[in-house]
Structures are given as C-alpha cells and as structure tokens.
Amino acid sequence: RKEVEQDPGPFNVPEGATVAFNCTYSNSASQSFFWYRQDCRKEPKLLMSVYSSGNEDGRFTAQLNRASQYISLLIRDSKLSDSATYLCVVIYNQGGKLIFGQGTELSVKP
Amino acid sequence: GAGVSQSPSNKVTEKGKDVELRCDPISGHTALYWYRQRLGQGLEFLIYFQGNSAPDKSGLPSDRFSAERTGESVSTLTIQRTQQEDSAVYLCASSLESGNQPQHFGDGTRLSIL
C-alpha cells in the first residue's frame, strides 16, 4: 500500500463547478499535512496547509480527519486557472521530508 | 532572488558521465531537501539536510548518488556514472527548519541522459 494515496484522475469539470479531492495516508504518526499544486512541467507550489479544525482560503477548503487518516480539498466555483495537478502531502517524522501522493489532475473547461 | 535557485535548469549528458546539480536555498532556511520526479510520476524524496546534523540519505536510490551541503547554504547533488533511468527533474526545496514547516521548491533541473 502506498504511504499516501489519492483519487485517480483526471477530473474534467466545467467552470463554476465544485470539485473535491480525497487523500488517505497510511502512517498514523503523520504530523503535518499540505496540499500542493503542480502545473505541467513546473515545480510544486504550496497551496495550503491542512489543520485538524479544517481551514479555508477563499474558494479552497481543506479538511483533516485523523481518526480516518483522510484529507480532503474542496474547490468551489472552479476557474480555468485551477487546472493543474493537486498533490496531497504528508510529513510523519521529525525530519520533515515530504511524502507525496501521486497527484490528481484537474482540468477545468469553459 | 527570494526563492530557491537551482542550476542548471536543463542538463543533457551521455550515459556514464558524472553530473553535478546545484541548489541555493532561501536565505535563512536551515533545512534543504532534494527530490526527484520522473516523467509522469510522483515526487520521490532523495536526501535532506538540517543544519550541522547528519543528513538523512534514506531516499538515495544507489551509491552513485551523493549530496553535500556547506553549512546552511548551497547544496550540490552529484550523480556518478549516469544511467538512462536517472533522467528526471531534480527538485530542491528549503524550509525554515525541518519538521512541520512548509517547503518551498526551486524550478528544478531537467536531466536527460542519452
């Protein structure tokens, strides 16, 4: 089993749609959680951290369920510019090395 | 600049040659990480440095791979006797300290082995 697993993609949605990405992690000692965004042939960029209480940044909402070892990202009112691969990322040791999911590709169409 | 800087941005070399990749972290960031991303695949952790502590080399795929860092500044990743399967984008990231801090990535070095 992979350490971090994400929904298989691609997700193809129309502009304005709401889309949800899910992610599960296998190590219950995981400490920190992030969503990164990666555009084609570009480096990953931090989208948002994920907190146990859930957090929101504009159209983006992230949730963490430690009991189920589950992370989600919700994008409301999707824009063409949201098209990218979304990476679920977990840190579970003191060293801080990121463990990446395989990513879910999102394509927002006009 | 304010971000993580990597060089070269692209490198094409023949199989069997050695290559050296460079990373300049964000000033003040004590933790530095190297990752690899093969075409169409996820990111793989290679190695990380935190201050003067011994580096975590657990992700290095073979003894042909090595990395050094001078203090809290520049790091170099060296691949000896390159193989075609080494072709990938090599990404460097830095953070304020190891642990739970988000990491900021450079643009990467695209390595192609002929």
Side-chain angles (χ1 to χ4, degrees):
Chain A
R1 182 186 174 189
K2 292 180 182 175
E3 292 175 289
V4 179
E5 295 200 67
Q6 293 187 237
D7 279 349
F11 283 29
N12 297 303
V13 302
E15 268 187 292
T18 296
V19 60
F21 300 133
N22 302 313
C23 170
T24 57
Y25 58 95
S26 61
N27 192 319
S28 60
S30 297
Q31 298 178 345
S32 298
F33 310 89
F34 306 95
W35 284 99
Y36 275 74
R37 169 194 169 130
Q38 187 172 28
D39 291 279
C40 187
R41 298 174 72 85
K42 298 283 189 182
E43 76 281 12
K45 292 186 178 175
L46 178 66
L47 180 63
M48 59 197 303
S49 301
V50 186
Y51 304 115
S52 297
S53 55
N55 49 298
E56 187 173 309
D57 182 2
R59 298 182 293 109
F60 298 83
T61 301
Q63 301 242 325
L64 167 64
N65 184 321
R66 286 189 182 269
S68 303
Q69 296 179 201
Y70 172 92
I71 306 159
S72 66
L73 176 68
L74 185 75
I75 305 176
R76 291 180 299 279
D77 188 25
S78 52
K79 312 291 185 190
L80 296 178
S81 57
D82 294 334
S83 298
T85 295
Y86 290 82
L87 300 161
C88 174
V89 182
V90 171
I91 297 176
Y92 62 74
N93 61 23
Q94 294 289 339
K97 67 185 183 186
L98 302 181
I99 308 298
F100 286 83
Q102 285 295 99
T104 302
E105 184 182 345
L106 172 66
S107 179
V108 181
K109 305 291 187 184
Chain B
V4 177
S5 176
Q6 291 188 245
S7 62
S9 54
N10 285 282
K11 177 72 176 178
V12 181
T13 192
E14 294 178 346
K15 176 181 171 181
K17 301 286 188 184
D18 296 352
V19 296
E20 190 172 278
L21 313 180
R22 177 187 168 106
C23 173
D24 278 284
I26 293 172
S27 178
H29 280 195
T30 60
L32 185 148
Y33 304 79
W34 283 99
Y35 297 87
R36 175 171 74 175
Q37 188 172 30
R38 290 179 165 139
L39 185 64
Q41 298 189 24
L43 282 89
E44 303 170 72
F45 166 78
L46 297 178
I47 186 170
Y48 102 93
F49 299 88
Q50 170 59 49
N52 295 318
S53 302
D56 176 352
K57 303 180 181 181
S58 60
L60 294 178
S62 79
D63 59 8
R64 297 187 295 105
F65 287 72
S66 62
E68 293 184 351
R69 187 183 187 194
T70 306
E72 294 182 354
S73 59
V74 172
S75 174
T76 56
L77 176 69
T78 301
I79 309 173
Q80 295 177 309
R81 305 180 303 282
T82 52
Q83 303 294 314
Q84 287 188 329
E85 63 262 26
D86 299 335
S87 295
V89 175
Y90 289 82
L91 289 156
C92 176
S94 70
S95 67
L96 279 170
E97 59 186 46
S98 67
N100 302 329
Q101 297 294 321
Q103 296 173 17
H104 301 271
F105 284 80
D107 292 342
T109 294
R110 192 171 304 277
L111 177 63
S112 300
I113 310 299
L114 303 179

